[in-house]
């Protein structure tokens, strides 16, 4: 990955790396904390030693874990952290710290390093490798079915409307005969209108 850091910079990514940015006399813990909290993305290179230190909260990896784990669990920003698998055990199982196991990782143990590098760039830039296709037209047989159902619903609505209108006309006729008042509010209620 050493050449990868330079390549990432060449591909427009501002890398913060201890060997470039941590100077003599600086506070290592503060450097790690600021780097993690202020960065848009954090790459976590996972090998056997890193996993053991992170899981046991030992050394620099243990300190990183104490900073990163709460952000992964509490801030719901898992896409900020990108685990990169650098080593596998004899059975082919990846070395990844417990707190990162639920995150999708980049597998740098794969022989196709160029493909993995591109996957890493996609992850850093927050885009997917595969482009989601646009939505096409509704198939004609579905449209026909939808139209038939709409027509059926419209017929039912017309029938209901006719029944309500008939009731209103009947009430108006009755009210004229019985001298009761029918107003717009009563008619609106009967028709299902909000007046």
């Amino acid at each position: 990955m050493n050449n990868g850091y330079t390549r990432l910079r060449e591909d427009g990514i501002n890398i913060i790396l201890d060997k470039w940015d941590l100077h003599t006399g600086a506070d290592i813990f503060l450097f790690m904390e600021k780097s993690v909290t202020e960065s848009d993305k954090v790459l976590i290179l996972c090998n056997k030693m890193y996993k053991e230190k992170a899981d046991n909260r030992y050394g620099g990896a243990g300190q990183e874990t104490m900073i990163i784990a709460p952000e992964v669990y509490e801030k719901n920003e898992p896409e900020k952290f990108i685990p990169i698998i650098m080593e596998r055990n004899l059975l082919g199982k990846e070395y990844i710290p417990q707190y990162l196991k639920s995150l999708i990782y980049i597998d740098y143990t794969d022989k196709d390093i160029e493909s993995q590098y591109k996957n890493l760039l996609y992850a850093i830039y927050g885009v997917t490798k595969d482009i989601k296709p646009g939505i096409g037209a509704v198939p004609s047989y579905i449209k026909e079915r939808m139209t038939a159902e709409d027509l059926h619903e419209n017929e039912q609505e017309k029938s209901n409307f006719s029944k309500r209108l008939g009731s209103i006309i009947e009430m108006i006729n009755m009210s004229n005969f019985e001298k009761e008042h029918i107003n717009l509010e009563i008619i609106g209620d009967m028709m299902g209108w909000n007046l």
Side-chain angles (χ1 to χ4, degrees):
M1 187 81 186
N2 282 341
N3 293 341
Y5 302 132
T6 303
R7 190 171 175 195
L8 285 170
R9 286 187 63 80
E10 290 169 358
D11 285 326
I13 298 164
N14 183 21
I15 296 287
I16 299 171
L17 190 62
D18 56 0
K19 69 180 185 176
W20 294 338
D21 299 302
L22 185 59
H23 305 290
T24 305
D27 182 327
I28 296 170
F29 190 76
L30 181 61
F31 172 79
M32 284 191 289
E33 192 172 336
K34 282 183 74 173
S35 297
V36 167
T37 56
E38 294 176 4
S39 295
D40 295 326
K41 301 286 182 183
V42 177
L43 308 182
I44 305 167
L45 307 182
C46 302
N47 59 17
K48 181 180 181 180
M49 186 183 301
Y50 184 86
K51 176 187 171 19
E52 288 173 0
K53 287 182 176 183
D55 287 345
N56 293 306
R57 305 299 193 264
Y58 173 74
Q63 290 176 333
E64 278 181 11
T65 300
M66 288 187 282
I67 296 167
I68 295 171
E71 288 209 29
V72 170
Y73 295 130
E74 295 169 13
K75 293 191 177 177
N76 294 321
E77 291 184 293
E79 285 129 14
K80 176 177 180 173
F81 303 98
I82 303 170
I84 301 173
I85 305 302
M86 304 299 290
E87 184 181 4
R88 291 177 176 272
N89 67 18
L90 294 174
L91 300 173
K93 183 117 174 87
E94 67 276 352
Y95 286 112
I96 187 165
Q98 192 64 36
Y99 77 101
L100 296 173
K101 284 194 181 234
S102 66
L103 302 184
I104 296 173
Y105 56 78
I106 305 290
D107 186 357
Y108 253 74
T109 64
D110 188 334
K111 300 295 182 219
D112 188 358
I113 298 299
E114 189 59 29
S115 174
Q116 295 310 323
Y117 178 76
K118 285 182 180 177
N119 288 340
L120 178 59
L121 281 180
Y122 290 130
I124 291 170
Y125 280 108
V127 297
T128 57
K129 179 174 137 181
D130 298 311
I131 296 172
K132 189 176 186 177
I135 297 177
V138 176
S140 60
Y141 61 91
I142 299 293
K143 280 184 183 176
E144 290 170 8
R145 179 68 187 195
M146 290 168 65
T147 303
E149 288 178 4
D150 286 345
L151 286 173
H152 181 69
E153 283 180 26
N154 285 341
E155 288 301 319
Q156 283 184 328
E157 285 178 22
K158 285 179 187 175
S159 174
N160 289 341
F161 181 80
S162 295
K163 287 178 185 173
R164 285 183 281 177
L165 189 57
S167 296
I168 289 171
I169 292 170
E170 194 175 309
M171 278 186 70
I172 291 172
N173 289 336
M174 293 285 290
S175 71
N176 286 338
F177 180 73
E178 296 176 3
K179 306 288 184 223
E180 291 181 12
H181 286 294
I182 298 291
N183 61 31
L184 287 177
E185 188 176 338
I186 293 171
I187 293 172
D189 284 345
M190 291 185 71
M191 296 300 290
W193 300 333
N194 293 324
L195 298 176

